[in-house]
Amino acid sequence: MPTWSLSVSNMSDSEESTLPSMNKRQRFSAPIYNDRSEDEMDDLSSTASTLEESSRSDTPTLPGRRGRVVNKPPKKCKLQFRCSNFLKENHGQPIFGIQVNLNCSDSDPVIFATAAHNRVSVYECQEGGKIKLLQAYSDPSTEENFYCCAWSFNPVTNQPILAAAGLRGVIRVLSLSQMQCIKHFVGHGNAVNELKFHPRNCSLLLSVSKDHTLRIWNVHTSVCVLILGGVDGHRDEVLSADFTLSGARLVSCGMDHSLKIWNLDTSEIEDVIAESSKFNPAKGSKPFPTLVNHFPDFSTRDIHKNYVDCTRWLGNLILSKSCENCIVCWKPGPLDADANTSSNNNNNNKPDDSVSVLHRFDYRDCEIWYMRFCLDYQQKMMALGNQVGRIFLWDLDVEDPAQTKFTKLMHPKCGTAIRQTAFSKDGNTLLAVSDDACIWRWDRVK
Amino acid sequence: MRPKKRPVERQPTPEPTPDNIEADHELFLQAFEKPTQIYRYLRSRHVVLPVFLPRTLHYMKERSSVTNKKRRTFKVDSILASVAAKHQKDHQNRSKQDSLTVKFNGFFNHDVQTDAEHADVEIQILKNGHRKRKSAASTCASQISLGKTRIPINPASSSSSPDNGPMITHKFTHTNGSLARSAGLFVKVTCPMRHNLPNGLCNGDLHSHDEPPQKRRKNGRVSFHEEDPLLFGAALRVYDRNQQCLLGNGQYQVVLADLQPLEAPPGRAASWLSVQDTQALEPFEVFDKLPTIKFNLRWDEGGSNSLASNGSSSPRLSNHLSGTKASKLREANQSTPRKRLKLQYVFQYGNGELMRQQTEVREDLRCPWCSLLCPTLFGLLKHLRLSHPRFNFIYVPQQKGGQIEVTVNDMYDGSYIGNPQDVHSHIGYAFSRLGPVRRSPVTHVIVYRPKRPGASLTEFLEPETDGTINRQIVQGHNRLYYHTLTCQPMRPQEIDDDSEAENSPPWLFKKTVVMIDEFTDVNEGEKELMKMWNLHIMKQDYIADCQIPKACFKFVEEHGVEILEKNLSRNFLIHLVNLFDFSLVRPEVVQRAFAMLENLRDSREVA
């Protein structure tokens, strides 16, 4: 049985805490840019070189799009954040995942969870930059290495639940009120790279795995509802996926350089989802008839030329990134076509797999994989960390995408790769986790 | 590993050189080390966390100290009657008072140099009561003084005044309330000392007579206060736990032990002292050399009854059995005539050509791997075969004991042989801490009483047969299975449901259609017919060329209308001709199949 243990990480409420020691597993020589101006973007040649191979962050070297210089944003971005605190978890291992609980009202404190090593920790952001450790869950297996976590809640009690998964491919469902692992799902043949809950159905959990498939589970009846993968599915590890706001479609991406869109609003899938919520394994001797969908509704390999390690919906547009120092905003089909029908309108012969790229958000020093960007709840800001500890922050709340500007957040003590970032629901706090087991808190300056 | 090994070569082999022996030992280890390690580990695990008790096994019945004989006749109502009967018996016993009279003849100690003519003697009674449900100290001892008197030291004749000598009497009562109460007499003699003589001539120091006093002083057995009298004592058991009187009437001569308080020399921590070596003294010499006390003991009234039962022992004999030393002698005497059992373990190993063996002789029935003491040879052999299946055991009877041939079982099947349902039980949520939950239904064998043949050693004379090895009581799959599609563990009730029947899964139909669509050098009509034909072949599971004619007719039957509707009859004809070109169908098949389609068209037009 997994046990809950409250272990206090090396906690500091102030910035005076000791400089994080250099991680032994650090994979990059960290170039120091202290002598450069902050917003300098015209020099892309001084990128760091990969030192190790066969690590989680290793990417096949690729010339990429060099020299594609984007116009320097004319004005300073109006978003200003200040680093108010950072703390270090005592395991010293990279923190791969951070998620803020968004299933709360605006008055509730900001609760977030981190996934690292064999541990999932739950923190609360308090006034004055303080971060309080609430709970820490430690997996019984010391070989577990959690990569990701996701928040949901119990529809009956409205108590928050947290799902976490990682290296072993076992999805743990933790109940924060019971301080226990209440369920676990076995089935993935390999590591789980990302977890997402359905935006409208709090029971449906999407898991994205190294075994080339995506699965949708019903957390409350403990069944595997749907498997997305097969003949036309991903041909390599799936790294990331995201639901649309309505939950009717999802986009997935992976190591096969492809992005695939799966429609979930077909009658077949809706039926099986409805059936899953009524399924009672104790009654009857038949296993749940898990549906397998081998055919995505849209698939492209034209956006990226390397591992696609993060993707998000922005309305009907898709943001995705690879290890090419660029987040691409694109949409399937031609630019003028209606986004919802683009994949269906001419499917009588062959599906249209054309894409239209709307914008590229360029940045630098982010050429390792498993680096995730995030959007805030209002989808007005986007944040991404890079491999030398900087955070790029884009203001998406502009009329013309060409006008988007970014701020680069940097802290002298932050020099290792920032794996994932997360905004609080109100967008006033930005949290980031790095490879040296640190959690960074940035508060918005009004 | 085992302590003693005597390598014995079965065949005449070259001289055993050290190298040879080492290589031989290496081979021995190679064969037996791994299973032995496993069984040693299991043994220590069993000690810490026993899965079962050996005494519950049918071949280990003798290990059980409690018999179940009374169970058959037991009735709850009889408890009161039996308790009442017992109580009454106790009551009767209590009314019978045994009075003990001890008449002292004198205190004999030839080593003691004293002027005093009389020594004080005190008799105490020690009672050990065993009480149930007491705290850790289950025995409570009480000490009651029966009386004190003066006895002469070293009287001229031991039998001078037996009648009018000092005497102490005591009335023993059988008190109830405590179970299994044993009682003992403790004789304490206080001998006053003369002042200016080297004292401390205690027992045990006899053979160090000639040592200078200083040295004796050193060993800490000397009283530093010369004024102190010498204390001697001896204990005699009167009643044992079963209320049997061990002390009969008669004259006793009891060896007294020195009761001088042991004063540890300063600066030395208390440590264990070895017990005095008693071997130096012959059994009867004891009475001449050590201080003794002589007395007559007589039971009056009811005491004689219980005496009669074991009155066979002569007074003189019971004299010998007094004190701690005597009891030691008794133990030594008893152990000698025991029947020796010799069990020879022959460990056989090596490859087929050259078999080697090592023998190990054991004299008890302990299992060499788990040191479980088996009550019988049958039990031991049964235990070896059932608990150590990684070895083969063959019993060879011999004159004394027997020989057990041990070989490594190459056929050992290490797979799970427990209840197959247990491997699934984790899928259920039974014994959850979150309250009662439904668990997966499983079958457990609770009682299993097969007909067993009587305990006979003959079954161990030959190797085990397949029927006896790894016999499962509950039939079923002894491993956990997973669904191929979802990779999720299969529950026991799902095991009969074949979820893997996927000769032609739906996705393959879809993929075929998609792939045909992707052809660029085929026109739309051909594509449609190819899709229909391929799906038809897939769904009907045609596998051989000879089935093609049948497939053609069936295709027309099932898809004829669709062919006509989509206006594909010409494409179909070309397809049939194509089949003929590849020698898959004969011309008449082409004709007949197309005729069927024509007929269908005609009938539709009529309708």
Side-chain angles (χ1 to χ4, degrees):
Chain A
M1 286 292 288
T3 52
W4 281 96
S5 59
L6 283 175
S7 61
V8 179
S9 307
N10 182 11
M11 222 189 281
S12 62
D13 286 338
S14 67
E15 287 186 46
E16 277 83 47
S17 57
T18 52
L19 183 78
S21 60
M22 279 303 201
N23 196 336
K24 274 182 189 166
R25 292 174 60 201
Q26 196 179 18
R27 293 159 194 127
F28 297 94
S29 60
I32 295 167
Y33 291 104
N34 284 348
D35 52 344
R36 294 166 187 261
S37 66
E38 284 190 19
D39 293 340
E40 192 176 49
M41 276 297 287
D42 50 0
D43 181 10
L44 284 171
S45 61
S46 64
T47 49
S49 60
T50 309
L51 290 182
E52 284 180 33
E53 50 189 4
S54 78
S55 71
R56 185 158 181 78
S57 309
D58 214 12
T59 34
T61 46
L62 205 95
R65 239 184 321 271
R66 290 287 153 97
R68 185 192 184 94
V69 180
V70 172
N71 292 350
K72 198 168 146 185
K75 285 183 288 184
K76 273 230 159 197
C77 178
K78 69 174 187 287
L79 294 173
Q80 295 297 323
F81 277 76
R82 191 182 64 84
C83 182
S84 58
N85 192 7
F86 72 94
L87 54 88
K88 187 168 183 173
E89 291 188 358
N90 61 3
H91 50 74
Q93 305 291 318
I95 305 178
F96 287 116
I98 180 167
Q99 290 296 328
V100 173
N101 184 10
L102 299 173
N103 306 313
C104 57
S105 64
D106 291 335
S107 57
D108 289 340
V110 177
I111 307 285
F112 67 95
T114 60
H117 195 42
N118 68 340
R119 209 184 283 182
V120 177
S121 312
V122 181
Y123 300 87
E124 178 187 332
C125 287
Q126 294 178 330
E127 289 296 313
K130 282 183 183 163
I131 299 174
K132 185 187 173 195
L133 176 66
L134 298 180
Q135 293 177 356
Y137 165 86
S138 151
D139 196 85
S141 166
T142 52
E143 288 172 10
E144 178 63 287
N145 193 357
F146 285 118
Y147 294 155
C148 51
C149 54
W151 289 91
S152 183
F153 58 93
N154 185 320
V156 180
T157 61
N158 282 334
Q159 294 287 347
I161 58 172
L162 183 61
L167 181 69
R168 292 175 71 228
V170 179
I171 301 166
R172 300 274 184 190
V173 181
L174 318 172
S175 162
L176 301 196
S177 52
Q178 293 171 18
M179 307 235 284
Q180 240 175 357
C181 171
I182 50 170
K183 271 170 194 174
H184 60 270
F185 300 129
V186 190
H188 269 303
N190 217 321
V192 172
N193 285 321
E194 189 159 40
L195 291 173
K196 279 272 162 69
F197 274 98
H198 193 277
R200 290 208 177 151
N201 186 341
C202 66
S203 300
L204 292 183
L205 173 67
L206 170 72
S207 60
V208 162
S209 170
K210 194 177 176 176
D211 68 2
H212 307 187
T213 64
L214 299 93
R215 287 184 188 224
I216 292 179
W217 309 79
N218 190 313
V219 171
H220 297 112
T221 54
S222 307
V223 293
C224 179
V225 184
L226 182 64
I227 298 176
L228 302 172
V231 265
D232 280 0
H234 284 280
R235 303 284 176 92
D236 206 335
E237 283 192 39
V238 195
L239 293 176
S240 181
D242 191 33
F243 286 103
T244 55
L245 279 178
S246 65
R249 305 164 85 193
L250 64 85
V251 59
S252 67
C253 61
M255 282 194 178
D256 57 355
H257 308 189
S258 71
L259 286 132
K260 293 178 193 292
I261 296 174
W262 312 76
N263 284 348
L264 301 180
D265 51 2
T266 64
S267 61
E268 206 180 11
I269 292 175
E270 279 176 348
D271 285 351
V272 79
I273 288 173
E275 200 178 329
S276 79
S277 57
K278 289 180 290 195
F279 186 73
N280 185 353
K283 290 178 189 164
S285 60
K286 293 247 176 194
F288 182 78
T290 303
L291 186 70
V292 184
N293 186 2
H294 292 249
F295 303 100
D297 295 271
F298 177 84
S299 180
T300 179
R301 283 167 51 93
D302 298 338
I303 308 291
H304 300 286
K305 294 186 175 64
N306 209 324
Y307 295 176
V308 189
D309 57 357
C310 192
T311 183
R312 295 289 177 268
W313 288 97
L314 182 67
N316 287 322
L317 309 177
I318 294 166
L319 292 164
S320 65
K321 77 167 273 290
S322 179
C323 8
E324 298 163 327
N325 283 333
C326 174
I327 296 173
V328 182
C329 178
W330 58 279
K331 62 172 281 190
L335 258 183
D336 51 351
D338 183 14
N340 283 324
T341 55
S342 64
S343 57
N344 300 331
N345 55 2
N346 53 357
N347 61 351
N348 47 2
N349 280 337
K350 47 178 167 180
D352 181 14
D353 56 356
S354 67
V355 292
S356 348
V357 174
L358 281 86
H359 187 66
R360 292 177 191 274
F361 299 90
D362 286 276
Y363 46 89
R364 69 176 191 198
D365 293 334
C366 190
E367 284 148 332
I368 59 176
W369 65 277
Y370 213 79
M371 304 286 275
R372 272 93 194 281
F373 63 86
C374 75
L375 295 167
D376 75 319
Y377 191 69
Q378 306 288 332
Q379 300 204 325
K380 289 178 175 173
M381 290 183 286
M382 180 169 72
L384 170 72
N386 73 359
Q387 68 206 36
V388 291
R390 313 288 189 267
I391 297 168
F392 297 93
L393 187 64
W394 286 269
D395 184 7
L396 303 180
D397 192 16
V398 288
E399 292 291 319
D400 182 4
Q403 292 175 353
T404 53
K405 294 154 282 198
F406 71 83
T407 313
K408 197 155 115 184
L409 307 177
M410 55 200 297
H411 189 273
K413 286 172 183 171
C414 183
T416 55
I418 290 189
R419 292 289 176 181
Q420 195 168 19
T421 51
F423 282 103
S424 64
K425 198 174 183 182
D426 57 7
N428 287 333
T429 305
L430 172 64
L431 294 151
V433 287
S434 61
D435 265 0
D436 56 355
C438 282
I439 301 166
W440 303 84
R441 177 176 174 176
W442 294 78
D443 283 324
R444 191 164 183 176
V445 181
K446 295 288 179 185
Chain B
M1 295 291 288
R2 289 166 212 85
K4 298 174 290 186
K5 291 283 147 18
R6 281 193 288 130
V8 177
E9 303 292 321
R10 190 179 265 178
Q11 292 157 348
T13 46
E15 288 292 300
T17 60
D19 279 358
N20 244 343
I21 291 170
E22 202 166 292
D24 186 50
H25 190 66
E26 200 61 40
L27 273 174
F28 174 77
L29 287 183
Q30 208 178 331
F32 286 97
E33 189 175 26
K34 200 76 197 172
T36 302
Q37 275 177 352
I38 291 168
Y39 287 129
R40 285 283 153 93
Y41 167 75
L42 290 176
R43 176 208 161 214
S44 12
R45 200 182 66 176
H46 193 82
V47 167
V48 178
L49 200 74
V51 182
F52 62 89
L53 295 173
R55 66 164 182 250
T56 58
L57 301 171
H58 76 93
Y59 51 89
M60 294 270 188
K61 267 180 200 151
E62 292 84 351
R63 278 179 69 94
S64 175
S65 56
V66 180
T67 59
N68 297 331
K69 277 179 189 167
K70 282 183 186 167
R71 272 193 198 172
R72 279 191 192 163
T73 55
F74 176 77
K75 286 204 173 65
V76 178
D77 301 340
S78 64
I79 293 179
L80 178 65
S82 66
V83 169
K86 198 181 169 193
H87 188 77
Q88 202 175 358
K89 199 176 153 196
D90 281 355
H91 193 71
Q92 283 172 353
N93 276 345
R94 203 194 308 167
S95 62
K96 260 193 297 182
Q97 285 191 338
D98 303 336
S99 116
L100 177 73
T101 311
V102 183
K103 282 182 186 169
F104 293 97
N105 292 354
F107 173 65
F108 297 89
N109 191 348
H110 302 288
D111 299 319
V112 157
Q113 311 283 330
T114 177
D115 291 340
E117 289 190 348
H118 291 277
D120 290 328
V121 65
E122 183 186 4
I123 290 190
Q124 288 173 338
I125 189 153
L126 296 169
K127 283 183 180 175
N128 284 323
H130 295 266
R131 283 185 193 151
K132 275 187 174 173
R133 295 196 191 90
K134 260 289 191 191
S135 56
S138 63
T139 61
C140 53
S142 62
Q143 209 169 4
I144 307 153
S145 179
L146 299 185
K148 271 188 180 179
T149 185
R150 301 201 125 213
I151 57 166
I153 297 178
N154 294 338
S157 158
S158 60
S159 58
S160 57
S161 54
D163 294 331
N164 48 13
M167 56 184 265
I168 293 172
T169 56
H170 175 69
K171 283 186 179 173
F172 271 93
T173 55
H174 295 273
T175 50
N176 57 352
S178 61
L179 278 147
R181 172 165 275 217
S182 64
L185 282 185
F186 190 75
V187 184
K188 206 158 115 186
V189 178
T190 316
C191 181
M193 288 302 302
R194 206 168 66 184
H195 290 237
N196 51 0
L197 275 181
N199 54 4
L201 298 174
C202 318
N203 68 342
D205 275 344
L206 289 172
H207 36 276
S208 57
H209 256 299
D210 307 321
E211 286 178 30
Q214 289 90 350
K215 193 164 185 190
R216 245 177 281 137
R217 225 171 256 273
K218 255 189 187 171
N219 65 14
R221 297 194 125 252
V222 175
S223 164
F224 288 94
H225 311 284
E226 301 204 332
E227 303 286 327
D228 282 0
L230 286 179
L231 263 178
F232 298 98
L236 290 161
R237 174 156 289 194
V238 182
Y239 292 110
D240 66 0
R241 287 172 167 219
N242 305 323
Q243 302 271 336
Q244 284 235 322
C245 183
L246 298 175
L247 221 53
N249 284 342
Q251 192 182 48
Y252 287 78
Q253 183 176 12
V254 179
V255 178
L256 296 173
D258 182 25
L259 287 184
Q260 220 59 247
L262 277 174
E263 291 198 38
R268 219 167 102 187
S271 62
W272 288 104
L273 289 174
S274 57
V275 177
Q276 291 297 324
D277 189 13
T278 58
Q279 298 301 323
L281 291 175
E282 290 297 311
F284 290 94
E285 250 176 70
V286 172
F287 296 99
D288 298 330
K289 299 214 166 159
L290 296 182
T292 55
I293 186 167
K294 278 188 185 168
F295 56 84
N296 279 321
L297 196 138
R298 204 178 76 240
W299 289 95
D300 295 321
E301 292 176 46
S304 54
N305 283 352
S306 53
L307 256 178
S309 59
N310 61 350
S312 58
S313 58
S314 71
R316 183 69 189 172
L317 188 64
S318 54
N319 273 353
H320 302 292
L321 302 180
S322 64
T324 52
K325 286 155 194 157
S327 67
K328 230 178 196 174
L329 287 173
R330 181 172 53 185
E331 270 182 25
N333 283 338
Q334 279 187 349
S335 64
T336 36
R338 238 178 73 186
K339 202 179 128 194
R340 274 272 163 83
L341 174 103
K342 266 197 180 167
L343 260 187
Q344 200 174 16
Y345 289 87
V346 181
F347 298 94
Q348 297 178 341
Y349 54 97
N351 45 16
E353 296 159 19
L354 184 67
M355 284 301 285
R356 294 155 182 266
Q357 65 178 41
Q358 291 199 7
T359 51
E360 183 187 344
V361 179
R362 283 177 173 258
E363 296 186 349
D364 54 9
L365 289 169
R366 278 187 193 279
C367 167
W369 286 274
C370 36
S371 53
L372 177 77
L373 183 60
C374 303
T376 58
L377 186 60
F378 174 80
L380 174 67
L381 287 164
K382 202 81 186 162
H383 163 80
L384 288 174
R385 279 211 169 161
L386 293 176
S387 300
H388 305 295
R390 286 168 193 270
F391 298 117
N392 294 316
F393 297 96
I394 294 174
Y395 174 67
V396 182
Q398 283 177 344
Q399 283 192 333
K400 291 175 186 173
Q403 180 179 316
I404 298 172
E405 291 179 8
V406 189
T407 47
V408 175
N409 184 2
D410 297 323
M411 310 281 284
Y412 176 70
D413 179 14
S415 65
Y416 178 75
I417 53 164
N419 185 348
Q421 312 292 8
D422 285 342
V423 294
H424 308 293
S425 61
H426 72 274
I427 304 170
Y429 292 97
F431 308 113
S432 162
R433 294 183 194 175
L434 307 173
V437 277
R438 182 184 283 267
R439 66 183 291 188
S440 306
V442 292
T443 309
H444 280 287
V445 174
I446 295 170
V447 176
Y448 175 57
R449 288 215 179 94
K451 288 223 161 174
R452 295 185 209 279
S456 154
L457 290 172
T458 51
E459 69 175 281
F460 304 111
L461 297 179
E462 51 203 41
E464 284 176 288
T465 54
D466 284 342
T468 55
I469 302 171
N470 295 349
R471 198 172 29 199
Q472 263 182 282
I473 295 173
V474 182
Q475 295 301 311
H477 301 267
N478 54 3
R479 64 180 72 174
L480 183 61
Y481 294 94
Y482 292 85
H483 291 289
T484 31
L485 205 61
T486 60
C487 301
Q488 290 188 292
M490 207 178 270
R491 296 181 301 153
Q493 60 266 42
E494 291 166 7
I495 224 157
D496 296 327
D497 183 56
D498 185 13
S499 62
E500 275 71 52
E502 51 159 332
N503 293 325
S504 45
W507 63 263
L508 194 55
F509 302 154
K510 196 170 173 185
K511 186 68 186 170
T512 310
V513 170
V514 170
M515 284 168 77
I516 290 170
D517 272 336
E518 282 171 6
F519 285 123
T520 50
D521 53 348
V522 182
N523 68 43
E524 293 302 316
E526 284 168 328
K527 280 184 187 176
E528 283 306 307
L529 190 80
M530 283 162 85
K531 287 179 199 169
M532 280 159 67
W533 177 258
N534 277 7
L535 294 181
H536 174 69
I537 295 293
M538 268 189 216
K539 281 176 182 160
Q540 303 293 330
D541 290 332
Y542 295 116
I543 51 168
D545 287 357
C546 64
Q547 290 175 307
I548 297 292
K550 204 177 157 194
C552 291
F553 302 140
K554 186 102 180 168
F555 185 65
V556 178
E557 273 175 33
E558 290 191 352
H559 299 275
V561 178
E562 199 181 346
I563 293 169
L564 295 173
E565 278 174 355
K566 291 184 178 174
N567 201 18
L568 298 173
S569 47
R570 283 185 68 83
N571 293 104
F572 180 56
L573 183 60
I574 292 167
H575 177 60
L576 288 172
V577 172
N578 203 32
L579 291 175
F580 167 72
D581 285 347
F582 281 91
S583 307
L584 290 166
V585 292
R586 282 170 292 161
E588 55 263 36
V589 175
V590 178
Q591 198 180 10
R592 200 175 139 202
F594 202 72
M596 281 170 72
L597 192 68
E598 291 287 325
N599 288 341
L600 193 69
R601 183 192 316 211
D602 292 345
S603 61
R604 276 167 59 85
E605 276 171 4
V606 168

